[in-house]
Amino acid sequence: MTESPNLVAFTPERLETVKEIIARYPEGRQKSALLPVLHVAQEQWGWLSSEVMDYVAGILKIEPVEVYEVATFYTMYHLDPVGKHVIEYCRTGPCCLMGGEDVYGHLKKKLGIEAGETTADGKFTLKEVECLAACGWGPVFQIREQFYMNLTNEKVDQIIEDLSK
Amino acid sequence: MARKILTEHINVPGIETFDVYRKQGGYTAVEKAIKTMTPEEVVEEAKKSGVRGRGGAGFPMGMKWGFLAKPEGVPRYLVCNADESEPGTFKDHHLMKSIPHLLIEGMIISSFALGANKSFIYVRGELMYVIRILEKAIAEAKAQGFLGKNILGSGYDLELVVQPGGGAYICGEETALLESLEGKRGNPRNKPPFPAVKGLYQSPTVVNNVESISNMPWIINNGGDAYAQIGIGRSTGTKLISASGHIQKPGVYEIELGVSVEEFLNSDEYCGGIRKGHHLKALVAGGSSVPILPANLITKTAAGEDRLMTYESLSDGGFATGTMLGSGGFIVFDETACIVRNTWNFSRFYHHESCGQCSPCREGTGWMEKVLHRIEHGHGSMHDIDLLVDISKKIEGNTICPLGDAAAWPVASAIRHFRDEFVWHITNPQEATAPGAVYMGDMALV
């Protein structure tokens, strides 16, 4: 195989961030940067393709398999393309006590999709997650860094409508 | 009002900034420790305080510090466990986002005590917004000379690194956390060697919970003895309790250890009682892993004494009639809650979060989830109840890390105390699977 031009690359700003992350660890321990750097990668590309994982392996001077085994272990990394907004819905006990299952049913109906699916317009991906450490403010879901708490059917409608604009 | 050690200033406007935190007396403990004390003296105060690991294990923090190996020329590390993921627990989340400098001040004091020059705060990845709050606070502290090279002119150097996780409950187990911090899958390590001897990068390491470390500024300012005077017996100091479920006022509360369960549950200072028109059916006092107790055993021990919020009182009666303080995840169930459904839900959690390294946990958690799913959905048989007990016993104690125990206990305790409800699901499948159906039997409600 001939060398193909590297189509995958961090933006200059993100590359700076990545360098700053790698510099946090002792000499020779740059593999410690893997989880944070994968978060930066996901921020840029939305999900982690094998090309992106290989690229990250190159930057950290580790084997691609070392990236794959980590990316497949931790549930925050998306291994398939996702919609513009990934809704990570808490399905664990305390949220369920607060009516989390009913609100979840409403959300699925509203979006017309099941867990793991993306809406036809590519706007929303629905993902079920375990406890988000916000049990006193349940039901809860998260979109990127934002927590949406004390959810009701009405609140869900409002959030989805606002994000659909 | 009860004394507040961690949350006294938490509602002061702007407390997340260095200036406001400093005005409230912040960083005076760092000055005191670094300028007037030796590291050994700081460790001594931690030992005297009797403060126990607030992540759930309850191991005395000062003693843990005492185990740290100190070979010449080898770096030592302090790692703060902020991977809070135990269902029902959200106190560290609350503390870090509201008053980030408290943890940072605690980290500086603790790192100084342990002789660590690079320390890590491992925060669950879902809390990226909290990570940004912490990083901002660290930059402020550094700009003021409390972090970095030659802190307060003492010659002591410290760098703090905030590390995001990737969404894995197992990384709350300290050796899994260290693996993760090294950029690997969160598979717990075999022990020994313990992290105190070979931890991060095979160097001596201490791993402590957010809340544990956040007690250090108060302990240095007021002395370990003063801390030990709060609480009862070996349950010293205060504890953050995350209260959720069917109560009037869910939230995070700081209690003096020793307040009664009854008072914590019903007083307006805390949970404010069960939601209006309902009754207490069951309670999980220390996060999803600890045994669930029915109403009659949570406010009183089997001997009829008031149950207190202490490590000892909550575990009074062993697992037959008691439970554990654990992480302080206080989940309240009223009579509308279905114990079978909740047990299935918790089982699914542990199955999902098992790292897969040990077969009893990898296979057992999945098996329990499947059996509970069929009971909940009307396809169970009477044999399934004993099968669940049998599986839970075969997981317990047979795994590298405590996740196996954590998965077994909720199932075993639910059957121990709510067997009738399981039987009802099996013998009345149609009734039990009707929307909103809940077993009302003759169980004791309070």
Side-chain angles (χ1 to χ4, degrees):
Chain A
M1 262 184 30
T2 52
E3 288 270 322
S4 61
N6 195 352
L7 298 174
V8 170
F10 279 123
T11 61
E13 299 77 36
R14 288 209 174 85
L15 194 58
E16 274 313 302
T17 306
V18 166
K19 283 182 185 159
E20 184 272 317
I21 292 172
I22 295 169
R24 294 173 184 174
Y25 311 98
E27 192 72 31
R29 300 295 183 178
Q30 76 282 355
K31 190 177 171 182
S32 276
L34 182 51
L35 272 77
V37 169
L38 286 178
H39 284 301
V40 176
Q42 187 156 287
E43 201 177 275
Q44 177 160 335
W45 288 285
W47 66 291
L48 303 177
S49 62
S50 46
E51 290 77 15
V52 167
M53 291 193 270
D54 292 352
Y55 172 63
V56 167
I59 287 181
L60 296 181
K61 301 187 178 70
I62 56 178
E63 293 300 322
V65 67
E66 295 178 84
V67 181
Y68 305 158
E69 63 176 11
V70 160
T72 54
F73 183 84
Y74 296 93
T75 56
M76 285 183 73
Y77 302 118
H78 310 311
L79 302 175
D80 292 299
V82 289
K84 187 176 172 203
H85 305 290
V86 181
I87 300 178
E88 302 189 271
Y89 195 95
C90 173
R91 66 178 189 183
T92 318
C95 272
C96 294
L97 289 179
M98 303 315 288
E101 289 169 299
D102 290 343
V103 174
Y104 185 50
H106 179 80
L107 174 64
K108 285 197 286 190
K109 223 161 127 190
K110 175 99 186 159
L111 297 173
I113 53 172
E114 291 293 319
E117 295 177 350
T118 299
T119 53
D121 62 4
K123 279 198 174 134
F124 297 98
T125 295
L126 186 58
K127 195 171 161 184
E128 286 180 17
V129 297
E130 297 292 357
C131 191
L132 289 172
C135 319
W137 313 297
V140 172
F141 68 59
Q142 185 174 28
I143 300 178
R144 282 188 172 236
E145 297 183 19
Q146 174 83 39
F147 277 72
Y148 296 86
M149 305 190 281
N150 298 304
L151 294 171
T152 58
N153 291 353
E154 296 70 37
K155 264 195 191 175
V156 163
D157 288 345
Q158 192 61 52
I159 295 163
I160 299 302
E161 273 150 37
D162 288 350
L163 292 175
S164 298
K165 280 173 195 162
Chain B
M1 289 285 282
R3 253 168 305 186
K4 307 283 186 238
I5 285 177
L6 304 162
T7 60
E8 187 184 355
H9 304 299
I10 206 163
N11 293 321
V12 174
I15 196 69
E16 71 282 2
T17 64
F18 178 88
D19 290 344
V20 175
Y21 180 76
R22 182 82 168 132
K23 269 190 204 121
Q24 299 295 327
Y27 288 101
T28 50
V30 169
E31 291 172 312
K32 182 174 174 183
I34 291 188
K35 286 184 177 168
T36 71
M37 297 170 76
T38 64
E40 293 72 25
E41 285 169 341
V42 176
V43 172
E44 199 49 41
E45 292 306 317
K47 282 184 181 167
K48 279 189 206 160
S49 76
V51 63
R52 291 164 69 170
R54 303 296 196 219
F59 192 83
M61 184 166 80
M63 200 187 289
K64 196 174 188 180
W65 286 8
F67 295 149
L68 185 67
K70 295 178 178 170
E72 274 300 313
V74 179
R76 304 191 279 272
Y77 294 102
L78 170 64
V79 180
C80 173
N81 185 343
D83 192 50
E84 183 169 60
S85 307
E86 169 88 358
T89 315
F90 47 101
K91 65 186 178 75
D92 297 337
H93 178 181
H94 178 64
L95 200 64
M96 290 188 291
K97 83 171 163 65
S98 310
I99 183 165
H101 284 284
L102 182 68
L103 173 62
I104 292 162
E105 187 176 7
M107 285 296 288
I108 299 169
I109 296 164
S110 308
S111 301
F112 172 72
L114 299 169
N117 300 110
K118 189 184 278 289
S119 297
F120 295 87
I121 306 175
Y122 182 102
V123 184
R124 61 178 300 178
E126 292 89 340
L127 299 184
M128 201 58 85
Y129 85 99
V130 176
I131 290 173
R132 299 196 198 284
I133 291 171
L134 287 169
E135 283 179 338
K136 194 169 165 222
I138 287 170
E140 284 183 309
K142 198 169 183 175
Q144 299 290 333
F146 286 94
L147 275 173
K149 295 256 177 247
N150 192 21
I151 296 172
L152 305 176
S154 64
Y156 174 61
D157 304 336
L158 176 63
E159 251 188 278
L160 269 188
V161 175
V162 187
Q163 177 85 356
Y169 170 72
I170 190 60
C171 291
E173 195 278 340
E174 62 179 15
T175 61
L177 188 154
L178 296 175
E179 287 287 297
S180 181
L181 188 43
E182 292 181 2
K184 303 176 201 158
R185 296 165 76 96
N187 288 350
R189 297 176 182 169
N190 260 312
K191 290 156 283 263
F194 288 93
V197 178
K198 281 187 193 301
L200 183 64
Y201 310 135
Q202 294 297 301
S203 296
T205 303
V206 165
V207 183
N208 287 140
N209 169 263
V210 172
E211 184 187 347
S212 314
I213 292 172
S214 299
N215 279 301
M216 282 314 294
W218 195 96
I219 290 171
I220 291 306
N221 281 327
N222 299 277
D225 287 333
Y227 188 91
Q229 276 165 19
I230 304 169
I232 295 180
R234 287 181 57 239
S235 293
T236 62
T238 66
K239 174 89 189 82
L240 294 177
I241 305 293
S242 319
S244 68
H246 296 144
I247 46 176
Q248 300 276 9
K249 298 193 302 167
V252 176
Y253 299 100
E254 182 172 9
I255 59 161
E256 284 186 31
L257 285 166
V259 67
S260 74
V261 173
E262 172 100 50
E263 186 189 341
F264 181 70
L265 186 58
N266 291 319
S267 134
D268 283 336
E269 197 180 336
Y270 306 116
C271 303
I274 306 295
R275 58 180 181 167
K276 277 206 173 64
H278 293 278
H279 301 279
L280 176 64
K281 174 179 179 177
L283 209 151
V284 170
S288 60
S289 305
V290 310
I292 188 169
L293 289 182
N296 60 321
L297 283 176
I298 187 66
T299 49
K300 301 272 183 203
T301 65
E305 287 169 5
D306 281 346
R307 182 88 74 182
L308 308 179
M309 299 287 284
T310 62
Y311 293 94
E312 295 74 21
S313 181
L314 281 165
S315 58
D316 184 281
F319 278 7
T321 58
T323 180
M324 292 164 77
L325 178 61
S327 65
F330 195 85
I331 313 167
V332 182
F333 303 78
D334 73 16
E335 81 287 350
T336 65
C338 173
I339 300 298
V340 175
R341 190 167 185 80
N342 186 72
T343 311
W344 163 55
N345 183 294
F346 281 177
S347 255
R348 181 177 62 178
F349 172 85
Y350 291 106
H351 180 212
H352 186 261
E353 299 301 332
S354 172
C355 81
Q357 221 181 173
C358 314
S359 358
C361 175
R362 182 187 62 239
E363 303 302 322
T365 53
W367 199 2
M368 290 198 301
E369 185 204 336
K370 245 187 238 171
V371 174
L372 282 157
H373 182 274
R374 71 175 174 242
I375 296 176
E376 165 63 13
H377 291 85
H379 309 296
S381 70
M382 290 301 277
H383 164 73
D384 284 340
I385 298 180
D386 292 331
L387 179 62
L388 283 171
V389 174
D390 189 44
I391 301 168
S392 77
K393 278 187 186 152
K394 286 181 173 137
I395 300 174
E396 194 181 349
N398 291 321
T399 54
I400 289 176
C401 88
L403 191 142
D405 298 344
W409 295 342
V411 175
S413 60
I415 294 173
R416 186 180 307 127
H417 299 297
F418 297 93
R419 183 178 276 265
D420 290 354
E421 198 165 331
F422 285 83
V423 171
W424 179 73
H425 272 75
I426 291 162
T427 53
N428 301 278
Q430 275 195 325
E431 207 183 326
T433 52
V438 177
Y439 175 70
M440 283 301 182
D442 56 356
M443 69 184 60
L445 299 171
V446 173

